[in-house]
Amino acid sequence: MTDEVIEKIKDDLETAAYVDRLLPPVRAPKYRCCMPEIVYTPQEMIFMEKKPLKIRPNQEQIDLWERVVLEWLPILAVDERRLVWKRANRIPWKLLCREFGLCKSNLCARHSKALMKIEFFIKGSKNV
């Protein structure tokens, strides 16, 4: 059962990292564009290339992102937090080994230890 819970945590972390990329950028309050709106003729609109569809996360994905970022990650140490988040963004182990200055086996052990911390936090919050 523990492996299933850890796999679920990994999936949730990857989903939260994906949602983080989809969220719109943060702007300063009362930020407006000072350029006037450009009005195109119907003929110009026909010859324009179609803009790609902007994908926005739904409410369930945003709730999951909030749970991961605001509840799970703060219980980890700073290095564990960076490691877990970068693995959720699918950064290769080789690059992480260079960044953290550790071999892959030690990094894997730290990653699994951080995931177990999250698992115990989830189990503890369910019991309360």
Side-chain angles (χ1 to χ4, degrees), residues 49-89:
E49 291 183 15
K50 301 286 184 203
K51 291 183 181 177
L53 183 65
K54 290 185 180 178
I55 301 172
R56 297 288 183 215
N58 59 21
Q59 189 61 40
E60 294 171 4
Q61 291 173 328
I62 293 174
D63 289 341
L64 176 67
W65 178 83
E66 287 177 348
R67 185 177 343 121
V68 167
V69 171
L70 300 177
E71 293 178 14
W72 294 0
L73 291 182
I75 64 170
L76 301 174
V78 177
D79 286 339
E80 292 173 336
R81 196 177 309 161
R82 283 182 33 226
L83 175 63
V84 166
W85 191 251
K86 289 187 179 200
R87 272 311 294 162
N89 281 310

Side-chain angles (χ1 to χ4, degrees), residues 83 87 92-112:
L83 175 63
R87 272 311 294 162
W93 285 109
K94 192 170 189 174
L95 295 177
L96 292 176
C97 290
R98 288 182 192 153
E99 182 179 339
F100 287 93
L102 297 170
C103 65
K104 185 179 174 187
S105 60
N106 288 344
L107 260 173
C108 287
R110 284 188 180 192
H111 184 256
S112 60

Side-chain angles (χ1 to χ4, degrees), residues 13 19 28 46 50 109 123:
L13 284 166
V19 169
I46 291 172
K50 301 286 184 203
K123 286 182 180 179

